[in-house]
Amino acid sequence: MNNQEADQYLLHTYNRSILFTKGEGMYLYDDQGKKYLDMGAGIAVSALGYSNDDFKHALKSQIDKLIHVSNLYYTEPSVNAAKLLCHATGMDKVFFTNSGAEAIEGALKLARKYAYTKNPTSGGEIIAMEHSFHGRTMGALSVTGTKHYREAFEPLIGGVSFATYNDLDSVKALMTENTCAIILETLQGEGGIHPATPEFIKGLRALCDEHDIALILDEIQCGMGRTGKLFTYEHYGVKPDIVTTAKALGCGIPVGAFAAVEKFAAAMVPGDHGTTYGGNPLATAAICKVFDIFKKENILEHVNTIAPYLVDSLNTLAQKYPNKIKEVRGMGLMQGIELSVPAGDIVTKALEKGVVLISAGTNIIRFVPPLIVEKEHIDMMCDVLNSVFAE
Ligand SMILES: *Cc1c(COP(=O)(O)O)cnc(C)c1O
């Protein structure tokens, strides 16, 4: 196999680069055996790094038992995973999906069903945020705040309007008697690593309470320990009505979920929603093991210990290259540097020097490493960035 062959058969929706063949801890290896330090975690997915023995054994033993039976039956891993996720999120009921976008689809349907149950003529309007990212399926795309992602695929689902992130008044201005949900990322990822202000999150909570509508927090990227709490809304002392998770939830096994508090969850009845694969025993065994390893290996504690070192290191770089780095921002191990040069060039040069980074938008480098990252890896990355910026 070569990269040309890949481009011949794979739909060209990504400009792929390296051909990776294996991973170990914080490192990836290409087909030539070259080693790369991974600071992107496959877009904030591989929280445990690569080839974690405990994780692999749990998956292999589940494969030996049962991979799939559909949601017409009970399975132990799905119930265990649902219980763990309810406890972790503070929600009451969980629905497992196969991806982040599908978790968003379900969350939107649930919010609309709740409003419909109260009043069948409710308009089901949704307020989303500019610069948000919620996924590529039609519903998720409809609430994604980047126009050029949406435009070619219209008409999307109706009744969506976009407010300005961190501007409570802009949300209030869009509220109507038909509004059924406000959806946002607790920390915007793809849109450029923008954390929410406490006033904004708390203000939205109060607004949703006042109107009895759903506050949907998308924690697909910022959740599962990335910002130093299991879910980022915990930093704000606020609980959503519906939360979406995916990415690091399965640490590489494709799985997502939306979870809701009882009041909203009760709106869904048999026949309202479904999935053939969602939450199958293999996927949910992965979730159970992820939670187990997080606990055993004190992952949250580690994130809180190591994140300040990443922030300090990035600030040191920013001080050294004020003409190239405009700002460092983020929470925990979800950091971004805003550049005055194209991020793509920096990412490409870092890759040549053996460091995997990902961008967010055109001028932001996003740092979402495996949560097992150590100081030595951050030093190594900064050395490479230093030499790239110096060129
Ligand atoms: C990645 C992402 C999604 C979409 O997840 P997929 O698994 O790619 O469908 C949705 N919301 C946020 C915040 C994301 O980062």
Side-chain angles (χ1 to χ4, degrees):
M1 192 225 113
N2 56 46
N3 295 358
Q4 234 169 346
E5 199 178 12
D7 290 336
Q8 184 183 345
Y9 292 106
L10 289 167
L11 193 69
H12 193 192
T13 51
Y14 286 93
N15 292 315
R16 294 179 171 86
S17 51
I18 314 291
L19 167 54
F20 284 123
T21 51
K22 67 169 189 171
E24 190 74 54
M26 285 291 298
Y27 296 94
L28 283 166
Y29 295 82
D30 71 12
D31 57 330
Q32 308 296 311
K34 183 176 166 186
K35 187 176 177 182
Y36 298 80
L37 173 66
D38 179 25
M39 297 300 279
I43 319 187
V45 168
S46 307
L48 302 172
Y50 298 94
S51 203
N52 179 297
D53 278 331
D54 200 5
F55 189 53
K56 283 192 299 186
H57 287 147
L59 295 179
K60 286 175 185 170
S61 92
Q62 186 59 48
I63 286 171
D64 287 339
K65 279 187 237 160
L66 187 64
I67 296 175
H68 177 82
V69 289
S70 90
N71 284 304
L72 300 174
Y73 313 98
Y74 294 111
T75 68
E76 255 177 57
S78 68
V79 180
N80 292 338
K83 200 166 153 188
L84 285 164
L85 196 53
C86 280
H87 289 162
T89 53
M91 301 289 116
D92 298 307
K93 293 268 176 15
V94 170
F95 183 99
F96 289 113
T97 65
N98 311 293
S99 68
E102 279 173 274
I104 298 291
E105 299 290 331
L108 297 176
K109 280 181 73 176
L110 179 52
R112 279 192 170 171
K113 183 71 199 293
Y114 177 76
Y116 175 90
T117 306
K118 282 195 302 178
N119 172 15
T121 63
S122 113
E125 290 174 11
I126 296 154
I127 300 173
M129 301 297 145
E130 282 159 11
H131 305 295
S132 63
F133 182 82
H134 298 292
R136 304 298 198 143
T137 55
M138 286 297 185
L141 194 57
S142 304
V143 292
T144 287
T146 308
K147 210 171 172 194
H148 78 262
Y149 286 169
R150 294 196 311 265
E151 238 164 19
F153 306 100
E154 289 170 349
L156 298 171
I157 68 164
V160 178
S161 57
F162 292 94
T164 307
Y165 198 72
N166 281 337
D167 179 350
L168 191 58
D169 287 336
S170 79
V171 179
K172 286 181 178 166
L174 295 174
M175 287 283 300
T176 75
E177 59 182 21
N178 289 324
T179 305
C180 75
I182 299 172
I183 181 167
L184 67 152
E185 299 151 85
T186 324
L187 194 181
Q188 284 192 332
E190 192 84 15
I193 313 292
H194 292 283
T197 61
E199 303 74 55
F200 189 53
I201 296 284
K202 288 181 176 156
L204 292 178
R205 179 65 278 173
L207 195 60
C208 289
D209 286 340
E210 187 188 326
H211 295 270
D212 192 30
I213 61 170
L215 177 62
I216 305 173
L217 291 181
D218 180 351
E219 295 254 351
I220 289 169
Q221 187 163 165
C222 66
M224 289 307 289
R226 181 143 298 278
T227 65
K229 302 249 187 213
L230 217 31
F231 289 92
T232 299
Y233 53 79
E234 295 171 51
H235 289 288
Y236 298 84
V238 159
K239 221 168 81 169
D241 300 299
I242 306 172
V243 55
T244 57
T245 170
K247 289 200 165 91
L249 180 65
C251 281
I253 294 296
V255 64
F258 65 96
V261 294
E262 185 59 36
K263 186 173 86 168
F264 284 85
M268 284 285 202
V269 297
D272 276 346
H273 198 50
T275 165
T276 300
Y277 286 135
N280 86 12
L282 179 61
T284 45
I287 296 174
C288 293
K289 199 63 202 178
V290 168
F291 276 112
D292 181 49
I293 296 173
F294 265 54
K295 198 166 156 189
K296 277 198 301 211
E297 297 187 7
N298 296 314
I299 296 287
L300 284 184
E301 215 177 292
H302 179 69
V303 171
N304 289 311
T305 309
I306 201 81
Y309 189 76
L310 173 64
V311 176
D312 285 350
S313 306
L314 293 176
N315 278 321
T316 304
L317 266 181
Q319 276 152 22
K320 198 165 169 196
Y321 300 101
N323 298 331
K324 286 174 180 156
I325 302 176
K326 287 206 276 195
E327 196 187 8
V328 178
R329 58 173 181 257
M331 290 169 81
L333 287 180
M334 185 163 173
Q335 297 289 330
I337 56 176
E338 187 169 335
L339 306 174
S340 36
V341 295
D345 295 350
I346 306 293
V347 169
T348 305
K349 284 179 186 161
L351 197 58
E352 282 164 13
K353 293 176 191 287
V355 173
V356 177
L357 292 171
I358 52 179
S359 56
T362 51
N363 63 338
I364 288 140
I365 297 180
R366 140 170 66 159
F367 302 90
V368 286
L371 303 183
I372 57 166
V373 65
E374 298 285 355
K375 284 185 182 179
E376 63 187 268
H377 306 120
I378 293 169
D379 290 344
M380 206 183 295
M381 173 191 78
C382 286
D383 283 349
V384 164
L385 277 176
N386 192 31
S387 71
V388 170
F389 281 124
E391 274 170 20

